[in-house]
Amino acid sequence: MLSVNRSALGLVKKLCERAEEYGVNVRETESGATLIDAGIRAKGGFLASKIVTEVCLGGLGKAEILCAPYGDLVLPSIFVYTDHPAVATLGSQLAGWSIKVEKYFAMGSGPARALALKPRELYEKIGYRDEAEEAVLVLETSKEPTEEVITYIANQCGVKTENLFLILAPTSSIAGSTQISGRIVEQGIYRLMELGLDPRLITHGWGHVPIAPVHPKFTEAMGRTNDALLLSL
C-alpha cells in the first residue's frame, strides 16, 4: 500500500536539514510538532516551492520550475507529473481540509488528509486511506497555528504531536502561489470526476501552468492564483 505521508516525509526532512539553503524557518513547538515556515516570516522561494509542491503530492509526483509561452508572454511556470494521479492529487494534494479552531482558520492540503479522511466521501470514491504514524500537512495561512490547533490536527490524524509536520505557505508568498499553481493536474482530474469519470482509471497525469505574481493582500493573491489555474484548464 502506498503511503503518502511516509513518501513525503523524506522531502520534509530535506527541507528541515537544509533550511538555510531553502529559505525556510524550522522550529519545534511545545508539544513537539515541527513547524516549517515557507513564507510567513521566512524568505521561501522557488527552491522551497518545488519541494512543497511535491510534498502536497504525497511524494508521488514531481514538480519542475520552468518558463513557458502563453501567447506573446513567457512566464515562470510549474510543470507537474505523476504516475499515481488519483492518490497523489485527490488523495493528498487537494485543499480539502478546512481547519477551524476558535479564531484560527487555514486550508489544509497534503498527505495528512489521507489519515484524517478529509473529506471522507472522496477517499471512499478513490478507495484509499493512509495508515502512517507520521502526518505531513501544508497549511495555507498567514499565521502560525496555536497549540490547540496542533493538537486538533494530530488527533484528527491519529498521530502523536511529535510526529506531526506542518508546512506554512501563505497564499501571498512564492511558495503559496507556486504550490497552488501546482494543482493543475488535480484540478483537471477533479473536474473529470465531477463529470462522472472514475479517477482510478487515470494512470498518468501531467500539466503546466503559470505561477501567479505574489500580492501582499490575501484576496488579491487568491484571485491571481485561481486565474493562473483557470488559464490552463
Side-chain angles (χ1 to χ4, degrees):
M1 176 66 74
L2 295 172
S3 171
V4 288
N5 284 280
R6 284 193 289 268
S7 294
L9 192 57
L11 294 168
V12 173
K13 290 182 177 179
K14 186 177 180 180
L15 272 178
C16 294
E17 292 168 359
R18 299 161 63 180
E20 185 175 359
E21 177 182 342
Y22 288 109
V24 300
N25 295 337
V26 181
R27 76 173 182 89
E28 186 176 298
T29 69
E30 291 180 8
S31 59
T34 300
L35 295 186
I36 304 169
D37 176 4
I40 298 178
R41 296 184 180 87
K43 174 185 176 183
F46 289 117
L47 294 178
S49 300
K50 176 183 183 301
I51 293 184
V52 171
T53 302
E54 292 176 351
V55 167
C56 286
L57 288 162
L60 300 178
K62 294 292 184 182
E64 302 294 341
I65 308 295
L66 43 77
C67 288
Y70 302 91
D72 295 331
L73 294 175
V74 177
L75 300 173
S77 303
I78 185 167
F79 173 56
V80 174
Y81 56 98
T82 176
D83 290 332
H84 305 278
V87 174
T89 62
L90 302 181
S92 184
Q93 187 181 33
L94 177 75
W97 190 354
S98 180
I99 298 169
K100 299 177 182 179
V101 179
E102 297 181 350
K103 295 183 179 180
Y104 185 86
F105 174 80
M107 289 302 300
S109 59
R113 287 182 45 244
L115 294 170
L117 299 181
K118 304 288 186 177
R120 182 176 293 271
E121 59 271 17
L122 180 57
Y123 286 94
E124 291 174 350
K125 185 168 291 188
I126 66 174
Y128 179 74
R129 70 179 300 165
D130 199 357
E131 297 180 353
E133 295 180 353
E134 303 86 7
V136 180
L137 192 65
V138 176
L139 297 178
E140 292 176 49
T141 180
S142 59
K143 296 181 179 179
E144 289 191 357
T146 63
E147 285 296 335
E148 289 77 16
V149 175
I150 291 169
T151 299
Y152 166 78
I153 294 173
N155 288 341
Q156 289 291 305
C157 295
V159 301
K160 298 177 181 178
T161 53
E162 56 262 37
N163 290 338
L164 178 63
F165 299 83
L166 300 175
I167 300 176
L168 315 178
T171 310
S172 55
S173 68
I174 292 178
S177 181
T178 303
Q179 70 92 8
I180 292 174
S181 287
R183 297 176 191 166
I184 182 61
V185 177
E186 173 255 300
Q187 288 287 298
I189 292 175
Y190 188 86
R191 292 193 178 198
L192 288 172
M193 182 183 69
E194 291 291 288
L195 292 172
L197 178 70
D198 184 345
R200 293 173 294 184
L201 297 176
I202 304 172
T203 56
H204 312 281
W206 68 270
H208 71 84
V209 62
I211 298 169
V214 296
H215 193 282
K217 292 184 178 179
F218 169 77
T219 52
E220 183 72 23
M222 181 60 72
R224 290 184 178 188
T225 54
N226 287 337
D227 287 347
L229 279 173
L230 290 172
L231 176 64
S232 299
L233 287 174

